[in-house]
Amino acid sequence: MAQQPAQSIIAELEDAVRDGTTAKRVQTLRRVTDLFLNDGDRLNDEQVKVFDDVLCLLVARVETRARAELSKRLAPLDYAPFEVIQYLAWDDDISVAGEVLTHSSRLSPEALLEIAGSKGQDHLFAISARENLPERVTDVIINRGEDRVIRRLAKNASARFSDDGYSNIVARAEGDDELIEILGLRLDLPAKLLRDLLRRAKDTVRARLLAIAPPAVRDEIQKVLNDIAQEGAAAPRRNYGVAEELVKLMKQLNELDDAAVYNFAEAGKFDEVTVSLAVLNDMPIEMIERLMLGPRSDLLLIPCRSARLNWPTVEAILRKRPMAHPIDEVTLKVAERDYRRLSMETAQRTVRFWQLHNRLEKQPMAVG
C-alpha cells in the first residue's frame, strides 16, 4: 500500500529537481518524508530503496535547515533509508550530521570509524554520546578529541574501551579534575587504572568522589585510597647526604646548570636530581622529594621551570624518575604542552608561595 504513494510522487520529484525553486524542493522533501514516516515500518527492502533514492536526490538540493530537519526526523528510526543516513552523517555542518551521528542505528562501526578519523571536534562530540560505542571507535575519539569531547565520552556509560583506550583517557585526566571525577564513577574502570587515577587526584576531588559515588563504587574508592596512604606511609626516608655535598659544591663552582641536571637524570642519579632542584629553587629537599615521587607530573614542572631547565632535561626527569609505572606518551605530550605554556613568572611565584607555606605552617606541601 505504501509503494504506490512513493511511485506517484516521482513526477512531482522530477519537477522539483529539474525546475523547482528551493521552497518547492523543501516542500517535496517534507512530503516524501511524511509518506515514509507514515508507512516506513511496513515497507519491504525494495520499497525502502525507492524512498532512499527519492530522498537522496532531494537532500542534495536543499538548504542546510531542511537537511537538519530531515536528520532530526530520520535519526531515531531503525528502518531509516540507509543511503540518505550515510549522506547526512557525512555532512560538514554539525546541525545536519549531529542527530544522525548520535542516534541513528543505521550507521555501521566502519562508517563511524571513518567519520571519527576525519571530521572535526563537533562530529566527535556527537559520536561520543552514542549508545554502545565499540572500542575501536572510542580509541580514535580519545586520540583525536579535545577536552569537552573526552569528558562527554567518559560520561557515556555504555561506551566500551580497550586497555590502551582506558590507559590513554586516564592519562588525559592529568590536571583535569572534572575528568578524574567522571572516570572515578565509572563501574567498568579497571582496578589498576582506578589506582592510577586516584594517585593523580587532588584531595578535594577524592573527597567529592567519596561523597557522590554509589555505595559499591565508594567502597572500592575508599579501599584504593587506603592502599595509597599506606604505601606513602611505608616509604622509607632517603638519605641525600652524599648527593647534597656534591650538588652544593657544583653550585659554588657555578657548574650546577641545565646540562648538569640533564646528565644526572640520564644517568638515573635521582638523589642528585632531587637535591639539584631543591638547591636551584631554595626549597627543602623533602618538598622536592614529594614532587619527584608523587603521581602528578604537572606539579613537578613548576620547580623545573623555575630552575630554568630546558624541556629535554625535564623530559629525561619525567621518563626516568623512579616510579612504579613509567610515564606514558600521552601524559608526556600533555606535560610538554603545559611546560611550554608555563611562564617563568608563574613558576617562580608558585615556588615562593610553597617556600612561605613551608616556613609559616611547618606542614608538608599538599601534592594530592
Side-chain angles (χ1 to χ4, degrees), residues 42-54:
R42 297 193 295 271
L43 300 180
N44 60 37
D45 290 344
E46 182 179 349
Q47 291 167 332
V48 171
K49 184 66 168 62
V50 172
F51 277 99
D52 212 350
D53 293 342
V54 170

Side-chain angles (χ1 to χ4, degrees), residues 71 74-82 84-86 88-89 97-109 112 126 130-131:
S71 177
L74 294 183
L77 304 181
D78 292 336
Y79 54 87
F82 179 79
V84 76
I85 289 293
Q86 313 308 305
L88 294 170
E99 287 290 326
V100 168
L101 290 175
T102 300
H103 299 295
S104 179
S105 61
R106 300 287 276 168
L107 288 174
S108 66
L112 291 170
R130 283 181 67 89
E131 290 187 0

Side-chain angles (χ1 to χ4, degrees), residues 240 243-244 247 270-280 285 288:
Y240 291 94
E244 191 172 3
V247 169
F270 274 87
D271 286 358
E272 286 79 359
V273 172
T274 300
V275 175
S276 295
L277 286 175
V279 169
L280 289 170
I285 293 174
I288 297 295

Side-chain angles (χ1 to χ4, degrees), residues 5-16:
Q7 298 291 357
S8 68
I9 206 172
I10 296 300
E12 180 182 342
L13 168 67
E14 290 178 349
D15 179 60

Side-chain angles (χ1 to χ4, degrees), residues 11-45:
E12 180 182 342
L13 168 67
E14 290 178 349
D15 179 60
V17 171
R18 184 177 62 252
D19 303 316
T21 63
T22 298
K24 173 67 174 175
R25 291 169 184 164
V26 171
Q27 181 183 20
T28 305
L29 177 63
R30 285 175 177 159
R31 184 173 173 217
V32 174
T33 306
D34 288 341
L35 285 170
F36 183 78
L37 291 175
N38 287 336
D39 296 306
D41 58 342
R42 297 193 295 271
L43 300 180
N44 60 37
D45 290 344

